[in-house]
Amino acid sequence: MQVKGALRFILLSQLIIPFILLILGVLLGLYQVLARAGIIRSADFLGINYYQGLTLHGVINAIVFTTFFAVAFGNAIMLHQLKRPLKVGVQWASWLLMVGGTLMAAWAMLTGRATVLYTFYLPMVAHWTFYVGATLLLIGSLLPYFLDWIPNTLAWRRENPNAKLPLAVLGNLINFTLWFLIIIPLAVTVLFQMLPLSLGLASEVNPLLSRTLFWFFGHALVYFWLLPSYIMLYTMLPKLAGGKLYSDPAARFALLLFLLFSIPVGLHHQYTEGGLSSGWKLWHAFLTFMVALPSFITAFTVAASLEHGARQNGGQGLFSWWGKLPYWSREGDKWLFAYFISGLILFLFGGITGIVNASYNLNLIVHNTAWIVGHFHTTVGGLVTLSFLGMTLYLIACLRGVDVKAKPFALAAPYLWMLGFVIFEVALSITGLQGAPRRSNIGISYLDPSNELLYRGDWLFWSHVGALGGVIAVVGFLAYVVSLVGTLFAKPVRAPAIDFPIADAVHETPTPLVVNLRPWVTATLALIAISYTYPVYESMTRGIITKVPGYQSIENNLVPQQTLQEQTKLP
Ligand code: HEM
Ligand SMILES: [Cu+2]
């Protein structure tokens, strides 16, 4: 599928802009890991305050990079699979909103006016440009879904009344349906709580309600990150491995189960929250464990597909077929396999630590400790980032009409990243269990030997191991940058076109269960209503403190808004 003109520019920049920001994001990660080992011991580094850097790191890596990529990948998938043009006007509008919104929020963060961390919990209050910027980014990300992808799918359906919707298209539509549903509660707290406080139109808010609305969004957000990766694992990984997808209906079933179970589970981030009753927390805990179902279906389907591919390559025996996969292949697109397999290995750690996080009782031990940081760098920082980086490189090569350059670097990158984050994960899990808090510049507190009151020498060893892991991951990222920059400036050898290595399936026959989407959407909405009505009501009425004043982020400090108002009243 050829891509030309404005559309090509838009797609390329949707991949390149977040990549450039990610360079800053990764360097800030390096700063954090060094500060948390006491190797850098100061409140700021090169003019960036620790918490300002942490906010930038979280927002850039987990929100900006992922959202831009999901839109670019969604556009590419719809274009390639449905063979229908995207509307340039819609794409420009989306691009302008996303880029404009990102710049607004970046200004607020870089000037210390939004040092509120990436979850921007109330009563911390950022400058209004941060909230408006984030809102524009999210609205922009939804335009292609409503104005291009849905109309194109309906048109495709009219032309192909009996054909199965391509798996990648189904996955992409599920992902953005989920995205739309979860943006609604986020928009409510941003527009009716955060912005009024930030603009001085309100003097007090209910932070518990805001957090409940945030986590309605926040947990499903992780599936918004993961589903593009799953689409790649289902549709492309089997082909790269040399075989076929083991079961197409199983993949569809898993995707639909993710839609069902990824939203009504947000209270598992709020187990320690005083105002919510434990029965509802337990209900959300049960539903969280239901996510194991699609996860295990995915694990089985992906492993079976890998085995199928390996046996096509001559693999034998019960386990020795694992040796016949293209771990290090420079042939054609096969380098991409390295990104998926290393992401999957990291994801194993994420799955295991995630079970601990989701358990109502065990969570109390790891909550807000370094353990959590270890966990999500193997999920969003692991499988998600690696598959997004791999696909970014792949698509840039397609859209520029070049071959991927410096392939040994491109191949080494994911393995170094994986090695680094396995070390990081183990080390941060241990320091977390020792009690090291997350979101804390511990180099100038617990790890400062001159601080007799706080000093915890026993955290030192594993904090240094964590730093080593971080450094190895950054080296992997640099290897990636070499290949990406080479590819970006290579001389084109063919016309720019999008092509994906899409696999056929061993088992194709559709089951009625996965063909009709309406019951799934209905069940999803019903489960959300059941799981959230009472907790939202409780948040509005039972909070320990239902109304509190805001604390404005000014020059990286949080200043009580009421003090500010009194100051301005002085003659
Ligand atoms: C080599 C690369 C990276 C390193 C060394 C690194 C390191 C760190 C460290 C040490 C923290 C915890 C700081 C603290 O709690 O005080 C952190 C937080 C975080 N990281 Fe990374 N990271 C890297 C890449 C990534 C990537 C690729 C993502 C996501 C795509 C990511 C997402 C996050 C998020 C969401 C937080 C939490 C921010 C917050 O608490 O507000 N990181 N990172
Ligand atoms: Cu969660």
Side-chain angles (χ1 to χ4, degrees):
M1 177 96 196
Q2 296 232 344
V3 187
K4 289 190 289 232
L7 196 59
R8 175 168 166 266
F9 170 81
I10 290 170
L11 284 177
L12 269 173
S13 56
Q14 279 171 341
L15 297 164
I16 295 169
I17 294 171
F19 164 72
I20 293 171
L21 288 172
L22 190 66
I23 297 177
L24 174 65
V26 167
L27 291 177
L28 287 166
L30 182 62
Y31 163 41
Q32 282 146 216
V33 90
L34 296 176
R36 289 183 57 95
I39 297 169
I40 294 177
R41 226 181 238 128
S42 67
D44 321 66
F45 188 66
L46 300 177
I48 295 194
N49 167 279
Y50 184 85
Y51 299 96
Q52 180 186 21
L54 186 55
T55 307
L56 280 160
H57 177 81
V59 171
I60 289 177
N61 298 5
I63 299 181
V64 177
F65 166 63
T66 49
T67 306
F68 267 87
F69 177 83
V71 173
F73 181 63
N75 275 331
I77 284 286
M78 300 310 269
L79 209 57
H80 177 258
Q81 296 281 285
L82 299 182
K83 310 250 176 310
R84 300 191 145 265
L86 300 173
K87 298 180 201 72
V88 174
V90 170
Q91 294 296 330
W92 268 127
S94 153
W95 190 92
L96 286 170
L97 286 171
M98 290 177 70
V99 173
T102 303
L103 289 176
M104 269 174 99
W107 174 80
M109 288 185 284
L110 287 168
T111 55
R113 288 177 170 87
T115 300
V116 292
L117 305 181
Y118 96 112
T119 40
F120 44 98
Y121 277 172
L122 286 174
M124 292 190 284
V125 182
H127 194 264
W128 63 268
T129 47
F130 178 77
Y131 302 119
V132 173
T135 308
L136 295 182
L137 170 68
L138 300 189
I139 295 175
S141 72
L142 281 170
L143 290 189
Y145 167 69
F146 280 114
L147 302 177
D148 261 339
W149 305 347
I150 291 182
N152 281 3
T153 308
L154 295 176
W156 179 90
R157 170 61 67 219
R158 278 192 296 275
E159 269 175 26
N160 305 276
N162 298 319
K164 239 182 352 179
L165 197 62
L167 180 57
V169 172
L170 176 74
N172 194 41
L173 291 178
I174 289 179
N175 200 25
F176 275 77
T177 305
L178 180 79
W179 187 228
F180 169 60
L181 288 178
I182 64 176
I183 283 178
I184 298 169
L186 183 72
V188 170
T189 177
V190 169
L191 296 179
F192 297 107
Q193 295 191 287
M194 296 175 179
L195 257 183
L197 205 57
S198 178
L199 291 169
L201 302 173
S203 57
E204 291 185 326
V205 281
N206 175 347
L208 170 59
L209 175 63
S210 180
R211 279 198 293 270
T212 303
L213 293 171
F214 179 86
W215 284 114
F216 184 124
F217 163 82
H219 179 77
L221 171 67
V222 313
Y223 285 95
F224 175 69
W225 299 331
L226 269 174
L227 286 189
S229 308
Y230 281 13
I231 294 172
M232 296 176 219
L233 296 181
Y234 285 136
T235 62
M236 301 172 203
L237 176 68
K239 177 126 181 197
L240 296 170
K244 293 181 177 178
L245 169 65
Y246 181 69
S247 165
D248 172 273
R252 285 169 202 261
F253 186 48
L255 287 170
L256 288 163
L257 284 172
F258 280 125
L259 177 67
L260 187 61
F261 290 123
S262 57
I263 299 177
V265 296
L267 259 53
H268 70 219
H269 292 265
Q270 295 178 278
Y271 288 145
T272 58
E273 193 92 69
L276 301 168
S277 48
S278 33
W280 285 99
K281 291 177 185 167
L282 199 61
W283 170 247
H284 280 235
F286 283 139
L287 290 181
T288 304
F289 280 98
M290 292 302 287
V291 179
L293 201 63
S295 304
F296 281 125
I297 295 175
T298 303
F300 174 81
T301 312
V302 169
S305 308
L306 287 177
E307 179 174 354
H308 182 266
R311 294 205 187 278
Q312 306 304 307
N313 303 338
Q316 300 283 332
L318 198 56
F319 293 112
S320 42
W321 57 265
W322 281 102
K324 289 284 180 191
L325 291 169
Y327 299 104
W328 190 280
S329 170
R330 285 195 242 172
E331 183 198 324
D333 308 331
K334 289 232 154 79
W335 58 272
L336 202 47
F337 183 86
Y339 286 78
F340 296 149
I341 197 77
S342 39
L344 276 167
I345 294 171
L346 268 179
F347 204 54
L348 279 179
F349 288 82
I352 294 165
T353 48
I355 293 172
V356 172
N357 305 346
S359 307
Y360 196 167
N361 46 0
L362 294 180
N363 179 282
L364 301 179
I365 297 169
V366 298
H367 190 73
N368 268 344
T369 69
W371 168 285
I372 304 293
V373 179
H375 162 75
F376 62 68
H377 284 84
T378 62
T379 53
V380 65
L383 175 62
V384 171
T385 301
L386 283 174
S387 58
F388 286 18
L389 288 179
M391 190 46 65
T392 296
L393 182 56
Y394 177 88
L395 280 173
I396 286 180
C398 287
L399 288 165
R400 291 210 59 247
V402 302
D403 292 322
V404 168
K405 295 294 159 197
K407 269 192 190 164
F409 284 87
L411 278 164
Y415 293 115
L416 285 167
W417 184 276
M418 176 190 83
L419 175 69
F421 275 117
V422 167
I423 296 173
F424 180 95
E425 154 72 316
V426 172
L428 271 82
S429 296
I430 295 174
T431 52
L433 292 176
Q434 287 175 321
R438 69 180 282 204
R439 298 183 151 175
S440 190
N441 186 0
I442 58 178
I444 54 172
S445 54
Y446 295 100
L447 292 187
D448 178 2
S450 65
N451 191 329
E452 282 169 27
L453 212 59
L454 292 180
Y455 184 60
R456 288 292 300 265
D458 56 325
W459 296 354
L460 216 52
F461 175 74
W462 286 105
S463 301
H464 277 80
V465 176
L468 174 71
V471 169
I472 296 175
V474 172
V475 173
F477 185 72
L478 292 178
Y480 174 82
V481 173
V482 170
S483 174
L484 191 109
V485 171
T487 307
L488 209 49
F489 292 102
K491 223 171 122 212
V493 290
R494 63 182 82 86
I498 293 179
D499 192 15
F500 287 115
I502 302 274
D504 296 328
V506 178
H507 298 284
E508 274 278 16
T509 331
T511 51
L513 187 66
V514 297
V515 172
N516 188 354
L517 303 185
R518 200 158 294 157
W520 286 95
V521 176
T522 313
T524 301
L525 294 177
L527 202 56
I528 293 173
I530 292 169
S531 307
Y532 261 113
T533 306
Y534 197 75
V536 167
Y537 168 74
E538 267 188 322
S539 302
M540 294 170 77
T541 53
R542 267 196 67 196
I544 292 178
I545 310 164
T546 45
K547 289 273 184 197
V548 299
Y551 291 77
Q552 187 84 35
S553 169
I554 295 176
E555 292 175 11
N556 298 313
N557 287 314
L558 293 169
V559 185
Q561 283 187 326
Q562 289 179 351
T563 315
L564 288 172
Q565 281 157 10
E566 276 159 27
Q567 277 169 359
T568 49
K569 262 189 247 144
L570 290 176

